[in-house]
Amino acid sequence: MGTISTIGLDLAKNVFQVHGIDSLGNILVRRRLRRGEVLRFFETLPPCLVGMEACGTSHYWARSIAAFGHTVRMMPPVYVKPYVKRGKTDAADAEAICEAVTRPTMRFVPVKSPAQQAALLQHKTRDLLVRQRTMQVNALRGHLAEFGIISAAGVAGLNQMMTLLHAEQEMLPEPARKLFQEIVAHLRALEQRIDDIEKQIVAEHRASSVSRRLAGIPGIGPITASAIVAAVPDASTFRSGRQFAAWLGLTSKSHSSGGKERQVGISKQGDSYLRRLLVLGATAVIRLARKENASRQWAAKLLEKKAARVVSVALANKTARIVWALLTTGNAYSARSA
């Protein structure tokens, strides 16, 4: 019996599955581990290749196992699924991971550091609070409409809603008035919490030279720049700007067969948060497309023959490629070269 060279680890909350093989592909270990047994198991093994899916808690386990001298590779679950043979079990998943991690064409996910995960946590928390604020505003607008108080949508509509609620509160029944006051108080607390998190993000953005360079690109502000720096620890893992844009889901999705080429919109795969930020930034740029700027001039010409939303996505694709170029070269943004 040889030495374990490759291990496939199927992650879970409490019960983990291990599948280990030697250099010839012979199965040497196939067993279940409780959560407390995982690190003790890998601590006793000689250094080997460990594969796992990029999922919840995977970055923590990758860092912990790599500390014992193992080479850890994380893979997107969608790339591991084709290697699963017959049925869905933990043992079959671990075997598929063990086989997929040895493929020469497999794509791997870089392991994030605790600092990068903390920075992304700020963005995720802010995004959660923004969605909760939107829910509160929509609920408040709908409840007020039941009492004949109508306001417009958007930020201007929110201010109008607050003004109307303050003016008409004496006409509302007592139970409804108290509930409206609680909703408004909760809404203001959410806005204050969002402002606090944004101040933290902006402070970290100003302390990062890379983030400040990215903010020089039209359509990218402190929020988007800091999110890119936290989510992309090493841009050199992408061979080109197009591959980086494809990772964000901003490139066209092919659906070709029989020699007939067909493209059906963008793939919308990868990091949806970064993609949304880039598209929103591009939408803001095309609103000012008439001003003298390289990106705005390019968008203005495209607006003459394409719809605004199509131009926003196209400009977001272009912005993603510029981001990759700045991250890999270390240069600052130049409108003329862009």
Side-chain angles (χ1 to χ4, degrees):
M1 182 177 294
T3 304
I4 296 177
S5 63
T6 307
I7 288 181
L9 176 62
D10 183 47
L11 301 178
K13 293 182 179 179
N14 297 312
V15 180
F16 298 70
Q17 183 72 33
V18 171
H19 185 93
I21 61 175
D22 60 13
S23 58
L24 299 178
N26 299 317
I27 301 175
L28 302 183
V29 59
R30 180 187 291 170
R31 57 178 292 192
R32 287 187 176 185
L33 298 174
R34 302 295 298 183
R35 182 182 180 88
E37 301 172 338
V38 176
L39 295 182
R40 292 198 298 267
F41 172 81
F42 284 99
E43 186 179 9
T44 59
L45 290 180
C48 61
L49 175 63
V50 180
M52 62 180 67
E53 292 179 328
C55 57
T57 72
S58 60
H59 292 276
Y60 161 76
W61 288 114
R63 293 193 301 266
S64 301
I65 295 174
F68 299 128
H70 301 288
T71 302
V72 183
R73 296 285 184 267
M74 296 192 306
M75 301 163 288
V78 67
Y79 294 156
V80 178
K81 187 176 181 180
Y83 295 92
V84 178
K85 303 181 182 70
R86 282 186 172 274
K88 174 70 172 67
T89 63
D90 293 343
D93 290 345
E95 182 181 0
I97 294 171
C98 186
E99 181 177 354
V101 74
T102 61
R103 297 300 91 195
T105 58
M106 180 56 61
R107 299 177 182 177
F108 301 106
V109 178
V111 180
K112 291 184 175 61
S113 65
Q116 291 169 339
Q117 287 188 296
L120 289 175
L121 179 60
Q122 289 180 326
H123 288 271
K124 293 177 181 179
T125 304
R126 173 187 173 274
D127 188 49
L128 173 63
L129 295 178
V130 168
R131 285 187 278 114
Q132 290 180 351
R133 181 180 63 182
T134 303
M135 294 170 60
Q136 292 284 334
V137 171
N138 291 338
L140 182 60
R141 182 180 293 109
H143 294 325
L144 287 175
E146 297 294 334
F147 294 93
I149 302 176
I150 307 299
S151 62
V155 178
L158 176 60
N159 297 331
Q160 179 187 10
M161 189 192 323
M162 294 297 185
T163 302
L164 292 175
L165 177 60
H166 180 73
E168 302 291 339
Q169 62 178 346
E170 298 298 332
M171 305 299 295
L172 298 174
E174 182 63 22
R177 188 187 313 156
K178 291 182 178 180
L179 291 176
F180 282 137
Q181 291 174 353
E182 292 180 3
I183 294 177
V184 170
H186 189 202
L187 183 58
R188 290 175 177 172
L190 284 175
E191 290 179 342
Q192 182 61 44
R193 186 67 184 118
I194 293 172
D195 290 340
D196 294 341
I197 295 178
E198 288 181 350
K199 290 179 181 178
Q200 297 175 9
I201 294 176
V202 171
E204 295 182 1
H205 158 75
R206 292 174 178 172
S208 172
S209 59
V210 179
S211 183
R212 292 198 306 270
R213 283 194 291 109
L214 294 182
I217 304 174
I220 292 184
I223 301 295
T224 306
S226 60
I228 293 175
V229 171
V232 187
D234 185 11
S236 62
T237 56
F238 303 97
R239 295 191 303 270
S240 63
R242 187 192 184 282
Q243 190 181 58
F244 178 65
W247 176 70
L248 294 173
L250 289 170
T251 55
S252 58
K253 181 179 180 180
S254 299
H255 191 274
S256 306
S257 179
K260 296 181 179 179
E261 300 292 334
R262 183 186 178 191
Q263 295 181 344
V264 286
I266 59 175
S267 65
K268 295 184 180 180
Q269 297 180 353
D271 196 319
S272 60
Y273 178 68
L274 291 182
R275 181 173 64 250
R276 174 155 48 89
L277 290 178
L278 289 173
V279 172
L280 290 175
T283 303
V285 169
I286 66 173
R287 293 176 181 174
L288 304 174
R290 295 180 180 178
K291 291 189 176 181
E292 293 298 326
N293 181 282
S295 296
R296 292 166 184 167
Q297 291 175 0
W298 181 84
K301 294 179 182 178
L302 199 58
L303 281 170
E304 297 176 357
K305 50 185 177 180
K306 297 291 184 180
R309 181 55 61 192
V310 175
V311 178
S312 296
V313 176
L315 184 56
N317 188 325
K318 182 182 179 71
T319 303
R321 301 183 186 218
I322 297 175
V323 167
W324 176 85
L326 297 189
L327 291 176
T328 53
T329 62
N331 297 332
Y333 173 76
S334 174
R336 179 173 299 178
S337 60

